[in-house]
Amino acid sequence: MPHDHHDHPHDRLPSDPALRVRALETLLTQKGLIDPAALDEIIDTYENRIGPRNGARVVARAWTDADFRAALLEDATPVVAEMGFYGRQGEHMVAVENTDETHNMVVCTLCSCYPWPLLGIPPTWYKSDAYRARAVREPRKVLAEFGVTLPEDTAVRVWDSTAEVRYLVIPQCPAGTDGMSEDDLMALVTRDSMIGTGLAVTP
């Protein structure tokens, strides 16, 4: 019998990715393999209660505490763990700092390794084939598409995350932040600025 006459279950799945996810979740729920409430709790934790706020707190403290920043750049893993930010996908952290001379950008060329405890759920574009390939090959063009145009004399360094090491970019602190509290500074730190595809917000 020709192959296209077979009735495979995956042939009946919706073509839209979101619908495919919903169909898979429904199937796994019906088979008793997942608990929708537990799944919703996990998603809410990473999207809302963790999200990029943990990373933003680390960055804000690095902006205001030179000793903390030095320790963070020396060995980020124990420093962020002391703040309570650790766990799966964040076991081995490396912090890199943007300066006038160097702009850092993070990619995972093999899959989508990402520091979940600090930044929450990775954005869709971070997992895309286009970003993973082009971030290494033409980082300045990719940055420009994100709205980041750097001076010609600023070097761009691309860091490749792996299952063993994940990176946190410490963006440059914008001007006009003197006297701001750590909580206020956190509001200036975006998720993209901690990946290197964005800059901190100017107050």
Side-chain angles (χ1 to χ4, degrees):
M1 182 180 294
H3 180 75
D4 59 0
H5 287 179
H6 285 287
D7 185 19
H8 293 291
H10 67 265
D11 292 334
R12 298 193 298 270
L13 286 175
S15 59
D16 182 86
L19 292 178
R20 286 176 177 266
V21 170
R22 179 58 64 190
L24 181 60
E25 180 183 346
T26 300
L27 179 63
L28 293 175
T29 300
Q30 289 172 348
K31 290 183 176 292
L33 297 175
I34 64 170
D35 177 0
L39 187 60
D40 289 343
E41 178 71 14
I42 292 170
I43 293 172
D44 178 67
T45 294
Y46 280 99
E47 278 191 340
N48 301 311
R49 283 176 277 163
I50 294 178
R53 287 188 297 240
N54 291 349
R57 185 165 295 283
V58 173
V59 170
R61 188 164 300 177
W63 283 348
T64 59
D65 186 333
D67 291 337
F68 176 85
R69 183 175 71 252
L72 183 68
L73 294 171
E74 177 70 24
D75 188 356
T77 304
V79 174
V80 297
E82 285 182 11
M83 296 178 70
F85 309 145
Y86 55 87
R88 289 197 56 156
Q89 312 300 323
E91 296 90 344
H92 305 289
M93 291 298 309
V94 171
V96 292
E97 183 179 33
N98 284 349
T99 65
D100 289 339
E101 292 75 30
T102 304
H103 181 91
N104 298 284
M105 180 178 174
V106 182
V107 66
C108 179
T109 56
L110 291 179
C111 50
S112 57
C113 295
Y114 189 80
W116 285 51
L118 290 175
L119 300 187
I121 297 173
T124 302
W125 56 259
Y126 185 83
K127 299 177 280 187
S128 72
D129 291 339
Y131 176 76
R132 287 158 48 194
R134 294 182 59 225
V136 174
R137 191 172 64 247
E138 46 187 15
R140 285 185 181 273
K141 287 186 178 179
V142 172
L143 288 173
E145 290 168 14
F146 278 96
V148 177
T149 303
L150 301 171
E152 285 299 322
D153 58 352
T154 298
V156 178
R157 183 165 186 182
V158 180
W159 300 86
D160 193 357
S161 283
T162 68
E164 288 75 35
V165 179
R166 287 166 174 78
Y167 295 92
L168 173 70
V169 174
I170 308 301
Q172 287 185 281
C173 185
T177 60
D178 291 346
M180 291 181 65
S181 68
E182 186 174 298
D183 285 343
D184 289 337
L185 289 171
M186 284 177 60
L188 307 180
V189 184
T190 67
R191 177 201 62 200
D192 288 7
S193 72
M194 293 182 283
I195 300 173
T197 55
L199 304 175
V201 178
T202 300

